[in-house]
Amino acid sequence: MSEVKKIKKGLDIKLIGKAEKVLEKADRSETYAIKPTDFPGLTPKLKVKVNAEVKAGSPLFFDKYCPEINFASPVSGKVIAVNRGERRKILEVVIQADTETQYETFKKADPNGLSREDVKEELLKSGLWCYLRQRPYDVIAKPLETPKAIFISAFDTAPLAADFDFLVEGESEAFQAGINALAKLTDGKVNLNINPNLNQSKVFSDAKNVAINKFTGIHPAGNVGVQIHHVDPINKGEVVWVIRPQEVVFIGRLFTKGIYDVSRKIALCGSEVKTPCYFETIQGASVRNILKGKLKDEQKIRVISGNVLTGTQIFEDGFIGSYDSQLTVIPEGNQFEFLGWALPGLNKFSMSKSFFSWLMPKKEYRLDANMHGEHRAYVVSGEYEKVLPMDILPVHLVKSIMIEDIDRMEQLGIYEVAPEDFALCEFVCTSKINVQDIIRQGIGLMIKEMS
Amino acid sequence: MKALRKFLDKKKPLFEKGGKYAKLQSTFEAFETFLFVPDITSKTGTHIKDAIDLKRTMSVVVLALFPALLFGMYNVGYQHFRSAGELAATGMFDLFLYGLIKVLPIIVVSYVVGLGIEFAFAQMRGHKVNEGFLVSGMLIPLIMPVEAPLWMVAVATAFAVVIGKEVFGGTGMNIWNPALVARAFFFFAYPSKMSGDAVWIADKADTFSGATPLAHAAALVGAKGEAATSIIEQHLSNTWDMFVGLIPGSIGETSTIAILIGALILIATGIGSWRIIVSVFAGGFVMGTLFNLLGSNSYMTLIPAWQHLVMGGFAFGAVFMATDPVSGTQTTRGKYIYGFLIGFLAVLIRVLNAGFPEAMMLAILLMNTFAPLIDHFVVQGNIKRRLKRVKVTA
């Protein structure tokens, strides 16, 4: 088999509240929502009005600049609200679910027997296309392009990440069908990147029609962008598509069952959850019923759809994001701390060894959302380099984005990065600079200038 | 603490925009955030943040400076009583106390002048007060001769903060290490107070030679035969004293051992760059060895390469000055080159230019100037690697 690549640069952040591999039942959520804000750079155009009846798989809205890309309702029911923000930007399309899900029917077919155009059409029509994302730019893939390869990371190394083996348990048939469909979309390989220490599941190891690459090491070893960089780096003009294993299963279900079935397991984790475990739910579900009675209510909390590094803050009656398989609950931490910067800091986590907590390398932390200091200009150097396992000069790239120098951004590797790859840089930054926002801005600028 | 917090919360509106003391907002915030880590939480991006901030970073550096500072105070007393011939009769505590009384005013002047200017600039620009001067304010006294007149320290500090830092936009933007700018200003503006044999020992007895080892070593250049060996025997044979630091010199720079303790703190906490520290020493050693091999005068033949590393401000510069992340190189590779060249040039200037026996300051300032150029080449290397990849695959 292929050699194992070990990712040495990075940082594992050990938090309290990892989900037990137990599937618990939560009350079925009554409302579901698809949030256009989950898809960076998207301008949505609505296809439905409030009070419209929809089925699972009925389009709710589409991409204004690429109208073939539909975004479908995860359940059947009635559209009860279109929530808008500033300048009438659409934030959420909310659906009140029926008790019994009605599905739109799509063509049942073995993807191996279909042409590339057929597979594309099915994915676009059903609304599953949005799960295919492209690098460069970390946005939804363009249907007219053909990627040089497709990459799937079969593990996640982010703090408290869900166990992907557990998420796809018993789905090997759908997973394989999904892989077969994806294989039609590229002239190159479908790469499945597994971690021999984390992935024991046969769903991954027995998968056919894929090239398997092996990675071990610390976060961000599980980031697909980092893996691409080490296997087949993206040069100017090249496109790679990425997708996550559960979403491959969605595609598989579309072809094997002929329906848009986006039910998935999610991990409920974090220090403020009484018993962290997994739940069976459907994409876009309201978290109200999932969280009910499950939280320690000691202090103000923050609910995050996704992980603590890249996730989105949602309210306690908010909705799970489209790409997320993890709900994290941490303390808000909006309080002052007397001389906090001077204390020994046994409960504080830092990559530097300037707090004495480094004496306890195995300790799990209960970290809150406090900034631990104010924003400053860049002073410390060499920090980002320690947590970015790519041949990229992070600070120089960030600075080239700040001054909006397109040529420089291109030279320094903007095509290879996604905001999530810089999440650890942002975490460790002494000057508290919002690196992920800056990377996203840079990507936005590139899209604007290059189109 | 709650009472204090309540008090601050009550007074805070007075300092906000439109308040009675709005002109002192930066000052108020500086003190407030000093007392309390603020309650602000992450709004976008990562929801959790590393516990470190600039206050922590800077206070670790100040902590790392303490061994050098404390030893410096002791040495000030030691040198004074030695020159007066009263060393045997004076207790260790008295030596330290004497040094404390001599050194403390310099520290106070440095901090008061420097922070005063920083606060004023922050307020004028509507910025927050940056923590950078906490370190500079401690570095400046440590690289001054103990006999430096306080008003000169004040002028040098003001020059360093205004011309060395604020004109570039404040902490994080400066080209040169501010503390070294202060010293360079002092050196060129008031040379009689920054060089020679009289300024390194407090209230030196007139009959006593107060020359630093570097001055003795520089005298070797013109000396031949017995004259040279007698300089070595009389002044430069006690390398243990040089290592421990019981020699005349700037307040904090004499003790290699105290500086190494500081280096250990910086490297262990991950705050100082070990790459720079190690390569400065390597560069100095390599140049020293080259001179030993070349051997065209007594300085080159009689001073072994390693001795350069314990004399004068070499170790202090390597550990506390070259590692300034703002004025140094920022790329990993660049750090090795930058550090090596500092050590290399420092010894080169020392030996070849008798006008500047203490060359460390100049070597670091010079490399500060060239740091962006070194980084430029490292960045170009990265860009070329990326371009090459395209050609290989195409």
Side-chain angles (χ1 to χ4, degrees):
Chain A
M1 288 292 279
S2 56
E3 56 172 323
V4 178
K5 289 199 180 63
K6 183 159 190 192
I7 302 294
K8 293 193 187 105
K9 286 182 183 176
L11 184 68
D12 273 340
I13 303 169
K14 296 189 181 69
L15 299 182
I16 293 175
K18 194 157 182 63
E20 286 272 347
K21 281 186 224 170
V22 180
L23 195 61
E24 288 217 359
K25 274 231 159 321
D27 292 338
R28 196 167 183 276
S29 297
E30 287 137 23
T31 51
Y32 293 79
I34 298 300
K35 298 179 275 188
T37 48
D38 285 345
F39 311 98
L42 172 74
T43 313
K45 286 287 260 185
L46 283 176
K47 261 195 175 168
V48 292
K49 292 206 171 84
V50 176
N51 286 331
E53 297 281 341
V54 290
K55 291 182 185 170
S58 310
L60 296 178
F61 53 89
F62 60 94
D63 183 346
K64 184 179 172 188
Y65 298 106
C66 188
E68 308 91 274
I69 303 177
N70 286 310
F71 297 81
S73 170
V75 289
S76 62
K78 197 165 85 173
V79 177
I80 52 167
V82 175
N83 297 326
R84 291 173 187 267
E86 273 173 45
R87 294 199 280 169
R88 293 184 44 79
K89 183 180 168 185
I90 302 169
L91 300 179
E92 292 167 343
V93 180
V94 188
I95 298 125
Q96 174 92 45
D98 298 337
T99 43
E100 198 71 27
T101 307
Q102 309 277 317
Y103 292 96
E104 294 272 4
T105 49
F106 298 96
K107 200 161 63 183
K108 244 199 281 191
D110 177 6
N112 281 328
L114 295 177
S115 71
R116 177 175 295 173
E117 291 314 311
D118 290 338
V119 171
K120 266 190 191 177
E121 199 192 314
E122 285 300 302
L123 291 178
L124 286 165
K125 208 165 65 180
S126 65
L128 282 174
W129 188 269
C130 65
Y131 291 109
L132 274 170
R133 283 180 283 179
Q134 67 162 56
R135 300 293 161 89
Y137 305 149
D138 188 36
V139 292
I140 296 172
K142 289 196 189 71
L144 289 177
E145 288 177 339
T146 307
K148 71 165 177 171
I150 294 178
F151 278 82
I152 304 159
S153 172
F155 64 102
D156 190 349
T157 43
L160 300 175
D163 180 274
F164 282 11
D165 276 11
F166 190 67
L167 294 183
V168 299
E169 205 175 65
E171 302 275 8
S172 41
E173 196 197 342
F175 186 75
Q176 187 60 53
I179 294 281
N180 294 342
L182 291 173
K184 290 283 169 187
L185 298 175
T186 174
D187 297 329
K189 291 186 219 163
V190 176
N191 293 273
L192 182 63
N193 304 328
I194 64 170
N195 182 333
N197 302 334
L198 295 174
N199 294 119
Q200 262 91 40
S201 171
K202 289 245 183 300
V203 175
F204 296 126
S205 58
D206 289 355
K208 309 231 164 27
N209 215 356
V210 289
I212 291 194
N213 310 299
K214 292 181 177 173
F215 288 90
T216 59
I218 48 180
H219 187 60
N223 277 17
V224 70
V226 171
Q227 296 164 354
I228 296 170
H229 183 83
H230 288 273
V231 176
D232 186 8
I234 302 165
N235 300 306
K236 187 181 180 183
E238 296 176 340
V239 179
V240 163
W241 287 357
V242 303
I243 187 166
R244 303 189 6 139
Q246 274 190 313
E247 297 150 6
V248 177
V249 170
F250 296 165
I251 293 178
R253 287 177 192 151
L254 176 72
F255 289 99
T256 54
K257 297 199 230 162
I259 53 172
Y260 180 86
D261 178 3
V262 287
S263 57
R264 72 180 345 174
K265 287 177 202 145
I266 60 151
L268 175 60
C269 55
S271 61
E272 303 315 289
V273 178
K274 280 185 203 156
T275 46
C277 60
Y278 289 78
F279 288 94
E280 180 83 44
T281 183
I282 299 175
Q283 197 67 67
S286 158
V287 298
R288 184 200 302 244
N289 285 353
I290 298 174
L291 295 179
K292 202 162 62 186
K294 310 276 192 327
L295 304 180
K296 304 171 185 168
D297 38 18
E298 283 159 25
Q299 52 172 285
K300 206 164 169 250
I301 53 153
R302 169 177 292 215
V303 182
I304 300 157
S305 172
N307 66 54
V308 286
L309 294 178
T310 59
T312 320
Q313 181 177 7
I314 56 175
F315 295 107
E316 281 172 60
D317 57 354
F319 303 92
I320 301 169
S322 286
Y323 295 122
D324 300 326
S325 50
Q326 178 180 2
L327 265 182
T328 315
V329 189
I330 60 170
E332 179 69 18
N334 56 338
Q335 57 235 351
F336 290 94
E337 189 188 7
F338 182 66
L339 290 180
W341 56 275
L343 300 173
L346 290 173
N347 286 316
K348 291 184 174 169
F349 181 76
S350 174
M351 177 178 71
S352 78
K353 295 198 168 64
S354 64
F355 293 88
F356 286 101
S357 53
W358 67 271
L359 294 167
M360 304 168 288
K362 294 237 167 103
K363 185 182 163 84
E364 293 184 335
Y365 295 85
R366 179 171 176 263
L367 299 186
D368 57 34
N370 193 290
M371 294 288 280
H372 301 298
E374 292 174 296
H375 175 267
R376 290 286 183 268
Y378 271 121
V379 170
V380 180
S381 68
E383 274 184 317
Y384 293 7
E385 286 83 350
K386 283 185 197 160
V387 293
L388 185 73
M390 293 173 146
D391 184 22
I392 276 177
L393 298 167
V395 178
H396 290 84
L397 177 60
V398 166
K399 285 185 177 172
S400 72
I401 296 172
M402 285 173 164
I403 59 168
E404 305 194 341
D405 184 338
I406 303 278
D407 289 338
R408 201 80 176 151
M409 282 153 64
E410 189 178 292
Q411 290 171 338
L412 291 171
I414 186 88
Y415 297 127
E416 299 177 54
V417 302
E420 62 171 14
D421 300 327
F422 279 71
L424 277 175
C425 299
E426 181 171 325
F427 171 79
V428 301
C429 185
T430 302
S431 299
K432 313 289 174 193
I433 287 166
N434 283 332
V435 186
Q436 291 188 92
D437 282 355
I438 295 171
I439 297 288
R440 181 57 76 193
Q441 260 173 38
I443 286 173
L445 197 65
M446 291 305 292
I447 294 175
K448 210 169 118 197
E449 294 288 324
M450 304 305 278
S451 60
Chain B
M1 287 321 110
K2 275 193 180 144
L4 183 60
R5 184 65 246 167
K6 258 190 192 159
F7 174 77
L8 286 175
D9 284 338
K10 209 173 109 193
K11 297 287 171 200
K12 201 169 183 173
L14 291 178
F15 291 92
E16 273 159 9
K17 219 176 167 187
K20 205 167 159 190
Y21 308 115
K23 286 203 171 115
L24 291 172
Q25 191 183 12
S26 288
T27 313
F28 177 81
E29 276 178 0
F31 283 109
E32 190 200 3
T33 58
F34 178 83
L35 287 170
F36 290 93
V37 171
D39 62 347
I40 41 174
T41 53
S42 166
K43 295 287 178 275
T44 59
T46 62
H47 297 272
I48 54 172
K49 300 272 180 186
D50 196 298
I52 200 163
D53 68 348
L54 218 45
K55 286 190 176 66
R56 184 78 176 187
T57 310
M58 294 300 174
S59 48
V60 169
V61 182
V62 172
L63 189 76
L65 281 166
F66 257 77
L69 171 72
L70 295 179
F71 185 88
M73 289 175 171
Y74 172 76
N75 190 43
V76 165
Y78 181 90
Q79 296 301 334
H80 166 75
F81 287 106
R82 192 169 78 124
S83 82
E86 296 163 9
L87 195 55
T90 321
M92 195 174 151
F93 182 74
D94 289 330
L95 296 184
F96 180 78
L97 199 66
Y98 180 85
L100 181 74
I101 292 165
K102 281 279 174 191
V103 174
L104 208 54
I106 304 181
I107 298 178
V108 171
V109 166
S110 155
Y111 270 120
V112 168
V113 172
L115 285 179
I117 297 172
E118 286 257 337
F119 275 67
F121 267 92
Q123 192 60 59
M124 264 159 52
R125 294 181 171 150
H127 282 184
K128 309 225 170 201
V129 179
N130 210 308
E131 290 81 2
F133 195 79
L134 290 180
V135 170
S136 306
M138 184 59 91
L139 285 173
I140 291 173
L142 292 184
I143 51 174
M144 290 290 162
V146 65
E147 284 289 85
L150 290 179
W151 70 268
M152 287 186 192
V153 174
V155 173
T157 305
F159 181 86
V161 175
V162 177
I163 305 294
K165 192 153 94 173
E166 293 301 339
V167 292
F168 296 105
T171 302
M173 318 288 177
N174 45 302
I175 297 175
W176 299 291
N177 184 323
L180 282 180
V181 171
R183 195 176 198 273
F185 175 82
F186 202 128
F187 183 85
F188 291 109
Y190 314 110
S192 67
K193 294 288 176 192
M194 192 52 146
S195 47
D197 298 346
V199 296
W200 309 107
I201 298 177
D203 290 332
K204 182 175 72 75
D206 287 339
T207 49
F208 191 84
S209 159
T212 62
L214 280 174
H216 289 301
L220 281 171
V221 174
K224 287 213 172 62
E226 265 187 32
T229 39
S230 84
I231 292 178
I232 294 282
E233 266 164 32
Q234 280 179 24
H235 303 293
L236 293 166
S237 57
N238 197 342
T239 38
W240 177 247
D241 272 1
M242 282 188 222
F243 185 67
V244 174
L246 294 172
I247 47 173
S250 298
I251 293 167
E253 68 169 26
T254 60
S255 171
T256 309
I257 201 165
I259 291 162
L260 286 181
I261 295 171
L264 265 179
I265 296 175
L266 288 183
I267 293 173
T269 52
I271 281 173
S273 165
W274 62 267
R275 292 186 176 90
I276 293 180
I277 298 176
V278 169
S279 29
V280 174
F281 281 109
F285 188 77
V286 167
M287 188 70 239
T289 311
L290 285 180
F291 277 135
N292 286 160
L293 294 175
L294 193 66
S296 53
N297 64 34
S298 311
Y299 198 158
M300 295 187 197
T301 49
L302 295 178
I303 300 289
W306 58 267
Q307 201 167 337
H308 277 291
L309 313 184
V310 297
M311 283 196 301
F314 193 93
F316 192 85
V319 173
F320 295 112
M321 296 292 185
T323 49
D324 172 15
V326 175
S327 55
T329 45
Q330 303 188 342
T331 51
T332 310
R333 246 167 241 223
K335 281 175 183 164
Y336 291 112
I337 304 169
Y338 164 82
F340 186 86
L341 286 176
I342 286 178
F344 194 85
L345 286 172
V347 174
L348 183 81
I349 302 172
R350 247 184 207 181
V351 176
L352 293 189
N353 190 335
F356 301 112
E358 184 41 286
M360 197 59 186
M361 165 185 91
L362 297 171
I364 296 174
L365 285 174
L366 186 69
M367 289 320 294
N368 280 170
T369 315
F370 283 109
L373 187 68
I374 297 173
D375 276 340
H376 171 78
F377 285 117
V378 177
V379 172
Q380 286 304 319
N382 181 282
I383 292 171
K384 278 200 192 113
R385 272 201 302 285
R386 189 161 292 109
L387 285 175
K388 222 166 145 188
R389 213 169 60 194
V390 184
K391 279 176 202 141
V392 170
T393 50

